[in-house]
Structure formats: structure tokens, C-alpha cells
Amino acid sequence: MFPAVEQYPQECLFPTNFILPSGARASLFESNCTGVVDTHFRWMQENSIDGVLVQRFYGDFNDASVLQLLRQVRTAAEKYGRAFAVEYDLSGVSSANFGGVVTSIVNDYTMNIAPFVSSPSYLHHQGRPVIELWGFGINKAQLSAADCMSIFRAIRFANPNPYVVLGVQWDWAYDQTNHPDYFNVYEQGDVIQPWSVGVYSDVASYEQKYRDNFVPDKALADRLGLGYAPSILAGSSSRNRDRGTTFGNRYNGTFYEAQLKHQLDMKPFFVFGSMFDEFPESTQVIATLTASEVPRNPNPGFFGIDDGMDHNYYLQLAGRYAVRYHQLF
């Protein structure tokens, strides 16, 4: 998919060699540009989206530009009355090279992230700043349960003491029987956030997973005293990222709306939209070109949202359900 860039400041755009149907060169935006971050948070405000979890990858701790982006996020979140929190993405952490990992994460949290939690826009619950640790149990061959527990305990007792969301595999409940060492880690958190991207791809497969897995998983989380925060997605495609064989299909928005509707039935702790702006995997909900507007020259090619849709259709759809979700409480 390809971003619609007409609402971004010109200083945040750069030309590409992709050619639009009009014959003009297509432009892309620079994510670290202040005007882009400001635009994204303005869209959140306009569409009743509460805020974002900002991914912080383990391998990026020494990248100053990521902290600069967080400063831009803080400014925009405060300006537009939105919330933000940090999500540690641990997909690059391995038990095979675990030495120093726990110390690095704790030092990053206490030295680099802690200054952000004083922002009135930084997300807190029960007086504690929210932190997500994402990647527990998703690749068991890569990161052991013992090492997951070491990371969790170190963050749990770090200062300032955080309210911890655990990003786990979609079928985390099976680990109660099959991998109790991992399940023991999950039980220690405050919120469980199962990662279901790639688990279903159309309305029928989602309905089946909702009935057979997500509803009983929510009941299990309730019994354990855990908040339950499902992840949902508007669609996805790996066609341009890794030359996948399919374009992906958003089914005229019905795929996303089916998931949004069921959040009203389930009444979870919060809903994690996967993702806000991730174009490489085509999971984004922000402004996107329609099928007749995307560049024609790349191989294997881009796909767009349905012709006639507003460029921000999926963000608007999420916002309408966010309003209804708030009314449940």
C-alpha cells in the first residue's frame, strides 16, 4: 500500500522514483519530521483515537533519533490531548546472547524512558506508568521462559514502578498446559495482550477464532485478575516487503469492522490496533491511497484501499467504534 501525503507539510516529504497515474513522481513522508508526528496526533484527536504505544526495539537503544522521536511524540500528545506509552519490542532478544540484556533494558527504562513518564500525556494506570514488554512466548526457541521472567522481574521492580502489559503469542492460554513455565510469566503481568496478526485473514476465520479462542481467553484473563487487551488489524500484506504471493484483502472494511464490533461485546481492558502507521506490512490505518491512485510502475506492485473511500477511512472507522467503546464505561 502507499501513503496519501496531501495533509503532511511539504518539508516532511521527499520525492521517489515511483510514478503516479497522473504522471507525477510520488512522494513519501519522513516519520521523524516534527510535522508528520504533529499531523498523526491531530488525526488521532479528530478521530477520537486515545493514543499510541511507541515501539522501542532492543537493538535501537543507542539510536538517538528514536529518543528524538519520543520527544516529538510527547510534544504532539500534550498539544492534542492524546496519550502515549512505550512498548519494548523484544523480538531481537535471544537467550543465546542474553548476557547484559536485562541490565540494558532496565538502564534504558530508568535513564531514557523515565523522564517521559512525568508528561501529563504519558499513560498511567493505578498511579503507575504503563510499559509494554512485547514478545514473550512468541518465539520459544529464541527466548526462554526463564529469560522472559528475568526481564519481567527487573522491569516490574524498576523505578518508577511500571504497570506492565505483556505482549504474548495469540494462543497464550494453551501454554497453561503445554508450556507452564511461560504461562507462569504471563500470570505475573498486569495486562495480557495477545498478538493475533497473521492468525486470521477474513471475516469467517476471525469469527471462528473469536468464538473458539478469544472469548474463552478473555474469561481466563478475568479469572486470573489480568486485564485483557486484544490486538486487531485492518488488513496486511507482505507483497512488497518480501515479494509475497498475495496482495492482501481488506474486504471493503468489513474485515476490520467485524473485529471492532466484537470489542464492544467483549469489553476488553483496551484494544490494540495493529498498526497505526506500518506501511511495509500494510497494517496501517492512516491516510492511504486508493486502488486507482497508487503508483503503477513497481514490481510486484502496490494495492490500495477501495476507490471512493476517504484516504483516512480506516482511521475514521476505528474512531467511530472508539467512541462507542468509551460509552461502555
Side-chain angles (χ1 to χ4, degrees), residues 131-150:
I131 286 288
E132 176 161 356
L133 299 174
W134 188 93
F136 285 4
I138 292 175
N139 187 343
K140 293 182 174 66
Q142 178 175 310
L143 188 62
S144 71
D147 289 339
C148 289
M149 184 66 85
S150 294

Side-chain angles (χ1 to χ4, degrees), residues 75 107 114 118 125 172-173 182 194 210 216 239 260 271 276 283 285 300:
T75 298
N107 285 347
S118 61
H125 189 69
W172 63 281
Y182 282 94
Y210 175 80
R239 186 169 176 85
L260 289 164
V271 182
F276 182 76
T283 56
V285 295

Side-chain angles (χ1 to χ4, degrees), residues 5-324:
V5 300
E6 65 271 10
Q7 294 192 51
Y8 296 116
Q10 283 298 311
E11 65 268 21
C12 296
L13 303 179
F14 61 92
T16 71
N17 290 326
F18 297 126
I19 305 301
L20 297 169
S22 66
R25 293 175 69 185
S27 292
L28 292 172
F29 63 84
E30 169 55 60
S31 294
N32 276 26
C33 185
T34 298
V36 167
V37 179
D38 186 89
T39 299
H40 287 168
F41 276 84
R42 173 171 59 82
W43 286 346
M44 290 180 218
Q45 184 191 60
E46 292 172 350
N47 293 282
S48 302
I49 304 300
D50 295 303
V52 292
L53 289 168
V54 182
Q55 283 179 291
R56 183 151 176 76
F57 290 90
Y58 177 75
D60 291 342
F61 285 1
N62 294 321
D63 186 344
S65 68
V66 180
L67 289 178
Q68 174 59 28
L69 178 62
L70 268 174
R71 287 189 283 272
Q72 294 168 326
V73 165
R74 177 179 58 194
T75 298
E78 292 173 358
K79 176 180 177 180
Y80 293 106
R82 302 298 94 184
F84 74 101
V86 169
E87 172 199 322
Y88 279 105
D89 189 316
L90 305 176
S91 55
V93 175
S94 171
S95 291
N97 300 287
F98 198 70
V101 167
V102 172
T103 299
S104 294
I105 295 173
V106 171
N107 285 347
D108 183 74
Y109 174 63
T110 57
M111 297 171 63
N112 294 324
I113 304 306
F116 290 96
V117 306
S118 61
S119 167
S121 285
Y122 195 92
L123 189 63
H124 285 68
H125 189 69
Q126 297 178 348
R128 294 152 60 195
V130 173
I131 286 288
E132 176 161 356
L133 299 174
W134 188 93
F136 285 4
I138 292 175
N139 187 343
K140 293 182 174 66
Q142 178 175 310
L143 188 62
S144 71
D147 289 339
C148 289
M149 184 66 85
S150 294
I151 294 171
F152 169 77
R153 285 177 173 165
I155 286 292
R156 160 64 85 208
F157 298 109
N159 183 31
N161 179 235
Y163 191 86
V164 182
V165 179
L166 295 182
V168 302
Q169 65 171 9
W170 76 272
D171 55 351
W172 63 281
Y174 289 117
D175 285 345
Q176 187 171 25
T177 301
N178 299 335
H179 299 280
D181 49 348
Y182 282 94
F183 194 83
N184 183 44
V185 181
Y186 308 157
E187 290 182 284
Q188 309 305 310
D190 297 299
V191 179
I192 202 85
Q193 188 246 297
W195 185 248
S196 56
V197 173
V199 174
Y200 50 84
S201 57
D202 55 29
V203 174
S205 59
Y206 170 71
E207 294 286 358
Q208 185 252 324
K209 285 291 187 293
Y210 175 80
R211 180 185 65 250
D212 296 346
N213 298 94
F214 303 151
V215 169
D217 286 359
K218 168 64 162 56
L220 174 60
D222 289 346
R223 291 196 299 273
L224 294 172
L226 297 172
Y228 183 75
S231 58
I232 63 173
L233 73 160
S236 65
S237 173
S238 61
R239 186 169 176 85
N240 274 286
R241 187 190 64 178
D242 57 16
R243 295 299 190 265
T245 58
T246 60
F247 269 103
N249 195 328
R250 293 195 173 195
Y251 299 97
N252 313 104
T254 58
F255 176 59
Y256 196 38
E257 188 160 18
Q259 299 166 73
L260 289 164
K261 284 180 177 178
H262 275 313
Q263 305 319 307
L264 301 180
D265 301 327
M266 191 184 293
K267 197 178 177 181
F269 187 72
F270 71 87
V271 182
F272 184 96
S274 315
M275 296 291 223
F276 182 76
D277 61 351
E278 191 164 333
F279 279 90
E281 296 182 8
S282 298
T283 56
Q284 81 292 335
V285 295
I286 60 172
T288 303
L289 293 181
T290 66
S292 64
E293 296 172 328
V294 297
R296 295 291 187 247
N297 56 321
N299 179 24
F302 296 105
F303 72 102
I305 61 175
D306 292 351
D307 287 332
M309 281 184 173
D310 187 277
H311 288 160
N312 263 332
Y313 173 83
Y314 285 92
L315 193 61
Q316 295 163 359
L317 182 61
R320 290 197 294 273
Y321 278 89
V323 170
R324 295 173 62 183

